[in-house]
Amino acid sequence: MPETPVLFVLNGPNLNLLGEREPEIYGRDTLADVQSLCERAAAGWRVDFRQTNHEGVLIDWVQEARTAAQAVVINPAAWTHTSIALLDALKTLSIPVVECHLSDPATREPFRHHSYVALAAAKTVAGHGARSYELAVRAAVELAQERGLA
């Protein structure tokens, strides 16, 4: 186990456009703002914060987390509702996974109501805007500590 525990915060497609894309749904905070929020909430953990618009890259990062992290917070964005491959990768993890969403998918279009990721996540935090990340980071750290991983 590393001296400083590591938390992967992984972000899926279009989240690089936070603050610009549909601010009435996702808010005005940028992805850089969200990263700062996560780093402040991590309580002494090192945050490895990443974003990709490529599904295979996200899956590679999940696989990397198997040996490089003590917990994962993931906002898979649209892949939440479509990616069985991402679910399969997440199911290989023995560390806590917390699913995170800025909006609440359950209150949006019907196609957003199903989450494949939730099948592998220990917890889901949604609907609090950028604060969802803060709550998800705290939950992931707490879960890892409860399991003796940090």
Side-chain angles (χ1 to χ4, degrees):
M1 185 173 350
E3 197 171 296
T4 302
V6 177
L7 172 68
F8 275 24
V9 179
L10 304 178
N11 297 279
N14 300 309
L15 290 168
N16 56 304
L17 299 177
L18 280 182
E20 300 172 34
R21 177 180 167 248
E22 299 180 280
E24 67 281 1
I25 296 173
Y26 302 111
R28 299 221 177 266
D29 290 308
T30 66
L31 196 59
D33 296 332
V34 169
Q35 180 174 356
S36 294
L37 182 67
C38 291
E39 289 168 350
R40 286 192 304 274
W45 284 49
R46 184 172 68 80
V47 174
D48 191 334
F49 192 93
R50 306 175 186 189
Q51 185 278 327
T52 184
N53 291 319
H54 304 280
E55 186 176 11
V57 171
L58 185 62
I59 290 166
D60 288 343
W61 291 344
V62 168
Q63 291 178 3
E64 181 184 343
R66 294 174 68 220
T67 58
Q70 282 67 54
V72 172
V73 169
I74 186 166
N75 183 347
W79 294 323
T80 302
H81 322 290
T82 63
S83 184
I84 295 167
L86 179 59
L87 168 62
D88 287 347
L90 289 166
K91 287 170 60 176
T92 70
L93 298 178
S94 60
I95 59 176
V97 174
V98 177
E99 178 183 11
C100 178
H101 298 284
L102 295 156
S103 66
D104 184 355
T107 64
R108 296 190 55 202
E109 304 94 335
F111 67 85
R112 296 186 195 274
H113 295 182
H114 181 265
S115 169
Y116 285 107
V117 173
L119 299 172
K123 184 170 189 157
T124 298
V125 180
H128 302 282
R131 188 155 185 267
S132 291
Y133 280 87
E134 175 185 358
L135 298 170
V137 164
R138 289 182 180 165
V141 167
E142 184 177 305
L143 287 165
Q145 290 170 336
E146 288 172 0
R147 294 184 190 182
L149 300 171

